[in-house]
């Protein structure tokens, strides 16, 4: 599931992982800016510590907002593209062992510049 909301000064997007065979995978989400503006990701965190309807059923208190901004920048270089696709599969990020095999979600805050 993908949930996007607009807040003052940007967009917030949550991309939820889902179980596929024996591992959790995330869907891919395209971030797109209109009128030739460039995508800029300001924050990126992996969360499995909060229950989120339709996303996280079981919490993992040892996985509480791990910053994955550097790995997201590799998928979406800041201010270089008008659109980019983010793969929210947990194996795309350098997560601590405490987050492995936990259902979670990628939380992004991004802007169009």
């Amino acid at each position: 599931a993908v949930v996007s909301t607009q807040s003052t000064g940007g967009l917030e997007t949550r991309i939820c992982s889902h179980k596929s065979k024996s591992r959790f995978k995330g869907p891919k989400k395209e971030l797109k800016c209109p009128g030739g503006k460039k995508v800029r990701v300001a924050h990126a965190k992996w969360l499995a510590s909060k229950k989120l309807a339709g996303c996280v059923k079981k919490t993992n208190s040892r996985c509480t907002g791990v910053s994955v901004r550097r790995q997201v920048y590799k998928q979406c270089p800041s201010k270089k593209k008008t659109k980019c696709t983010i793969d929210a599969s947990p194996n795309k990020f350098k997560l601590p062992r405490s987050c492995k095999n936990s259902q979670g979600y990628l939380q992004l805050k991004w802007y169009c510049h």
Side-chain angles (χ1 to χ4, degrees):
V2 177
V3 178
S4 292
T5 55
Q6 182 135 8
S7 62
T8 53
L11 294 160
E12 205 166 288
T13 301
R14 293 186 188 110
I15 309 169
C16 302
S17 65
H18 60 276
K19 196 141 194 168
S20 175
K21 296 183 183 175
S22 63
R23 308 180 338 165
F24 284 102
K25 290 182 72 176
K28 293 180 180 180
K29 168 69 176 156
E30 184 178 71
L31 307 180
K32 189 175 183 179
C33 290
K37 292 184 178 182
K38 309 288 187 205
V39 173
R40 179 177 174 263
V41 176
H43 302 286
K45 288 188 178 183
W46 183 263
L47 296 147
S49 59
K50 298 178 185 173
K51 287 186 178 181
L52 183 65
C55 186
V56 177
K57 295 177 180 114
K58 186 176 179 185
T59 62
N60 177 349
S61 61
R62 295 173 299 176
C63 187
T64 57
V66 177
S67 177
V68 292
R69 189 174 69 199
R70 188 170 286 149
Q71 290 91 26
V72 168
Y73 283 171
K74 286 180 183 176
Q75 295 184 50
C76 185
S78 194
K79 298 187 237 177
K80 292 188 178 178
K81 298 182 176 184
T82 57
K83 64 181 179 179
C84 57
T85 301
I86 303 293
D87 184 342
S89 297
N91 65 346
K92 296 291 181 188
F93 307 107
K94 293 178 182 174
L95 299 173
R97 286 188 190 265
S98 60
C99 296
K100 300 288 184 189
N101 293 320
S102 291
Q103 183 180 21
Y105 61 95
L106 178 63
Q107 181 170 306
L108 301 171
K109 185 156 190 175
W110 59 285
Y111 307 87
C112 292
H113 276 271

